[in-house]
Amino acid sequence: MSNDPTIGFINIRRRSSLTKSIVMEIINKESNFMHPEGKIQLLDGTALDCYPLGRPAAPQRAEVKEAEEKLFFSNAFRFLQYRDRIMSDSRMFLCPVPIQSGIAYTGTSGFQRPTLGIYLEWWLNCERALTCDENGTKKLVYQINGSTLSGMNKCGVVDTNGKTETKYVFSFSSLWSSFIRINSRYDEAKSLYEAYSLKRVVEILDKENLSLIDDKEMEILYLKSVLCRQQKDMANEMKQLEVMIDMLKTRLFHEHRDELKAIMANYEEKKEKKEQREKEIYEERKELRRKLKSGEIDNKQYQKQLTPLKKEKEDNDYMVREYRREALRALFPRLWFITIDDVEKFCSGLGHAFNEEELG
């Protein structure tokens, strides 16, 4: 293995270039999606009428942007609860959200000018964007920050009270790729059509005084999100446990190296004898078939000579199987999970888990 530090740098550059190409492929594919004339087509196939933008919107002043950001945080779960209303009006759907995300090596590509409808579609279609803490408090991911290479991330989340914090999110690739895919789908529409401000959306929801929704769909999505996280945690714990077991096996095998070598030598001898006898039995059976076809023996004689050969083969197979099962029992009576295959790897020096250098 080379110790040249430039090799690692080159590999990082290659991987970052690969990430950029993946991001650009997603952006180009979704940006080229053809919406119906004068409409936007949502992910579920719904087409919304749009209203042509009279003139480009003026850049938001800092204080307005800050106020809109606070509105987004304090109403995030309300927006999600009344998603059907928001996603039925293109002006609400295209309402700009003043949040900027970005990932290492690609910057903000694919994250520019997200809208309220884009967030709603993302929350509904990416389980990782919905999280719960250890107390069961529900949270929504609203900002994506991290590295595509390492998967390390520090994402912004908001709870039901509008309180924000940063949090590590599992499966970071599914988080950022799904957001870019949905956001890029509406890039052209953001510049062509009229959109309400977040303040106006909140005013409309207040005025309409919509009734509370028994949101079973979101409960299911949150339960799926929790289940995915638990499965991921269990998978990681299992991997760590497997590594520890391999290390313990290695130390144990070194302590009983001579006994294990003797067991394996005996096993190999038995296996070799079995295989050799199988070849002989095969030739004997072939000769019996020849004699039967030539008429030298009849079917009764054929069966009488064939039966002991078949039984001998079965007995030999059973003997080797039993040796595989019982050979280690005397040496490791309580460690039922240790197999001949483990010992075989150890004795042959194969496998990372059985590398002597691991012992230090």
Side-chain angles (χ1 to χ4, degrees), residues 145-154 168-173:
N145 291 295
S147 168
T148 58
L149 301 184
S150 66
M152 295 303 296
N153 62 85
K154 211 173 181 183
Y168 173 81
V169 181
F170 287 112
S171 296
F172 185 57
S173 61

Coordinates of all heavy atoms in Angstrom, one line a residue, residues 145-154 168-173:
N145 N -27.0 19.9 5.3 CA -25.6 20.3 5.3 C -24.7 19.0 5.6 O -25.0 18.3 6.6 CB -25.2 21.4 6.3 CG -25.8 22.7 5.9 OD1 -25.5 23.3 4.9 ND2 -26.8 23.1 6.7
G146 N -23.7 18.7 4.8 CA -22.9 17.6 5.1 C -22.0 17.2 3.9 O -21.9 17.9 2.9
S147 N -21.3 16.0 4.0 CA -20.4 15.6 3.0 C -21.0 14.3 2.3 O -21.4 13.4 3.0 CB -19.1 15.2 3.7 OG -18.3 14.5 2.8
T148 N -21.0 14.3 1.0 CA -21.4 13.2 0.3 C -20.4 12.0 0.3 O -20.8 10.9 0.1 CB -21.7 13.5 -1.2 OG1 -20.5 14.0 -1.8 CG2 -22.8 14.6 -1.3
L149 N -19.2 12.3 0.6 CA -18.1 11.3 0.6 C -18.1 10.5 1.9 O -18.1 9.3 1.9 CB -16.7 12.0 0.5 CG -16.5 12.8 -0.8 CD1 -15.1 13.3 -0.9 CD2 -16.8 11.9 -2.0
S150 N -18.2 11.2 3.1 CA -18.2 10.5 4.4 C -19.6 10.2 4.9 O -19.7 9.3 5.7 CB -17.4 11.3 5.4 OG -18.2 12.5 5.7
G151 N -20.6 10.9 4.4 CA -21.9 10.8 4.9 C -22.1 11.5 6.2 O -23.3 11.6 6.7
M152 N -21.1 12.1 6.8 CA -21.2 13.0 8.0 C -22.0 14.2 7.6 O -21.9 14.8 6.5 CB -19.9 13.4 8.5 CG -19.0 12.2 9.0 SD -19.9 11.2 10.3 CE -20.1 12.5 11.6
N153 N -22.9 14.6 8.5 CA -23.8 15.7 8.2 C -24.3 16.4 9.5 O -24.2 15.8 10.6 CB -25.0 15.2 7.4 CG -25.9 14.2 8.2 OD1 -26.8 14.6 9.0 ND2 -25.6 12.9 7.9
K154 N -24.7 17.6 9.3 CA -25.3 18.4 10.4 C -26.5 19.1 9.9 O -26.3 20.2 9.3 CB -24.2 19.4 10.9 CG -24.3 19.7 12.4 CD -23.1 20.5 12.8 CE -23.2 20.8 14.3 NZ -22.1 21.7 14.7
Y168 N -27.6 15.0 13.4 CA -27.1 14.0 12.4 C -28.2 13.1 11.9 O -29.0 12.6 12.7 CB -26.0 13.1 13.0 CG -25.5 12.0 12.1 CD1 -24.6 12.2 11.1 CD2 -26.0 10.7 12.3 CE1 -24.2 11.2 10.3 CE2 -25.6 9.7 11.5 CZ -24.7 9.9 10.5 OH -24.3 8.9 9.7
V169 N -28.3 12.9 10.6 CA -29.4 12.1 10.0 C -28.8 10.9 9.3 O -27.8 11.1 8.5 CB -30.2 13.0 9.0 CG1 -31.4 12.1 8.5 CG2 -30.8 14.2 9.8
F170 N -29.3 9.8 9.5 CA -28.8 8.5 8.9 C -29.2 8.6 7.4 O -30.2 9.3 7.0 CB -29.4 7.3 9.5 CG -28.8 7.0 10.9 CD1 -29.6 7.1 12.0 CD2 -27.5 6.5 11.0 CE1 -29.0 6.8 13.3 CE2 -27.0 6.2 12.2 CZ -27.7 6.4 13.3
S171 N -28.5 7.8 6.6 CA -28.8 7.7 5.2 C -28.8 9.0 4.5 O -29.8 9.4 3.8 CB -30.1 6.9 4.9 OG -30.1 5.6 5.4
F172 N -27.7 9.8 4.7 CA -27.6 11.1 4.2 C -27.8 11.2 2.7 O -28.4 12.2 2.2 CB -26.2 11.7 4.6 CG -26.0 13.2 4.2 CD1 -26.9 14.1 4.7 CD2 -25.0 13.6 3.4 CE1 -26.7 15.5 4.4 CE2 -24.8 14.9 3.1 CZ -25.7 15.8 3.6
S173 N -27.3 10.2 1.9 CA -27.4 10.2 0.5 C -28.9 10.3 0.0 O -29.2 11.0 -0.9 CB -26.7 9.0 -0.2 OG -27.3 7.8 0.3

